[in-house]
Amino acid sequence: MVDASYFLAIGESLVCDHNDRFLFSNAELESLNIDICFDLPNVSEGFYCVAILKNLDKSQLKRSACLREALSKTETEDEFAVLSAAAQVVTWHASFKYCPRCATELMMDEMDLAKVCPSCGHHQYPRLSPCIIVLVRNGEKCLLAHSSKFKSGRYSTLAGFIEAGESAEHAVEREVMEEVGIKVKNIEYVCSQSWPFPHSFMLGFMADYSEGEITPDGEEILSADWFSVDDLPTIPPKFTISRQLIDRFIKER
């Protein structure tokens, strides 16, 4: 094995040692039962791999209790990116065992981070699901919403998957209308972030309110309102793209 830092996983879960350490050296892998290793995409400095374990040595390792918590403890964008990449590759490996065309068991491609069907030749790459996430501005206030998936009191920006055939900008308009019943204008791309829940690729936007009354859909969005900088509710943690958009709004004010 080359000199690299390794993430470890079993099934769909990353594992860590009993000091909550995720990265391991070559030497530390020698005593473990490794099934397969993947080189991770070049998303940060250094060389990283993820090693899939055949079994979990409970005396040495434990399943990660919460990926979100682990991500929240990362100190740099590079640390976030490589942990996100590891989590997404693990999910992909666990989810795609067989060819979606002919059901033959997939094999690892010798060159790329991909699996190939020995029967029909189909290549299966790690899945990415493009999404939009948007902060809507209305003068000195911004629109934040409480989702049915959030903890009590948590508010964030609006988000949703991009549908087949539509642009990211159209997805912004559609998702805002579907979730809270208003129209937006001046849609501006800001930044992106890989989001491993389970394999989302978030495209972040700012937009301005155009018309309409806030009307939460009652299913995905339970409540939403306009908030000023000095009266914000509980918002997402620093490592999230939603928080980056909110912080940008705060800085603009």
Side-chain angles (χ1 to χ4, degrees):
M1 293 183 180
V2 298
D3 186 16
S5 296
Y6 289 84
F7 291 94
L8 304 180
I10 186 166
E12 293 191 47
S13 301
L14 289 171
V15 299
C16 52
D17 67 10
H18 292 283
N19 294 315
D20 293 331
R21 183 172 59 98
F22 279 92
L23 285 173
F24 298 81
S25 66
N26 284 350
E28 291 174 298
L29 267 64
E30 293 178 358
S31 62
L32 301 174
N33 194 355
I34 305 297
D35 182 23
I36 191 170
C37 285
F38 298 100
D39 294 346
L40 291 179
N42 185 22
V43 295
S44 67
E45 294 185 4
F47 183 45
Y48 296 90
C49 302
V50 59
I52 310 298
L53 301 170
K54 291 183 179 179
N55 53 56
L56 184 62
D57 186 338
K58 294 183 179 180
S59 66
Q60 296 175 274
L61 305 168
K62 64 179 183 178
R63 292 179 185 269
S64 172
C66 181
L67 178 59
R68 290 179 187 269
E69 181 180 351
L71 288 168
S72 71
K73 293 178 180 179
T74 58
E75 297 181 355
T76 67
E77 290 186 13
D78 278 0
E79 288 181 13
F80 181 96
V82 74
L83 180 56
S84 176
Q88 291 186 62
V89 168
V90 169
T91 299
W92 165 70
H93 177 64
S95 301
F96 293 94
K97 298 290 188 182
Y98 300 94
C99 177
R101 288 182 177 175
C102 68
T104 302
E105 186 173 0
L106 294 169
M107 301 176 62
M108 291 308 304
D109 187 90
E110 294 182 358
M111 299 295 295
D112 298 328
L113 180 56
K115 297 184 179 183
V116 62
C117 176
S119 178
C120 70
H122 172 72
H123 279 68
Q124 182 70 51
Y125 293 88
R127 184 177 179 182
L128 289 178
S129 300
C131 307
I132 61 88
I133 184 165
V134 56
L135 183 69
V136 182
R137 301 168 296 201
N138 186 6
E140 295 300 307
K141 295 186 177 183
C142 65
L143 177 65
L144 298 175
H146 176 69
S147 168
S148 57
K149 301 176 183 178
F150 292 169
K151 295 180 180 179
S152 177
R154 169 71 60 83
Y155 279 71
S156 186
T157 51
L158 301 177
F161 290 100
I162 299 174
E163 296 183 351
E166 73 176 348
S167 67
E169 290 79 7
H170 183 271
V172 169
E173 295 176 333
R174 176 182 54 77
E175 285 289 344
V176 173
M177 174 57 70
E178 289 178 355
E179 293 187 350
V180 295
I182 64 172
K183 293 183 178 182
V184 295
K185 59 184 180 181
N186 301 330
I187 299 170
E188 174 194 5
Y189 171 76
V190 177
C191 59
S192 64
Q193 185 179 59
S194 182
W195 187 244
F197 300 104
H199 37 64
S200 299
F201 181 66
M202 310 297 295
L203 301 173
F205 291 86
M206 306 289 279
D208 292 324
Y209 167 77
S210 177
E211 61 180 275
E213 294 293 329
I214 295 176
T215 308
D217 63 14
E219 296 182 4
E220 186 168 354
I221 302 300
L222 302 183
S223 62
D225 207 345
W226 300 109
F227 294 91
S228 61
V229 169
D230 57 0
D231 189 31
L232 291 174
T234 302
I235 55 178
K238 287 282 188 180
F239 70 93
T240 62
I241 189 172
S242 53
R243 179 60 177 271
Q244 292 179 43
L245 296 174
I246 294 169
D247 286 347
R248 179 186 175 99
F249 174 77
I250 294 172
K251 187 176 180 179
E252 289 176 349
R253 305 274 88 56

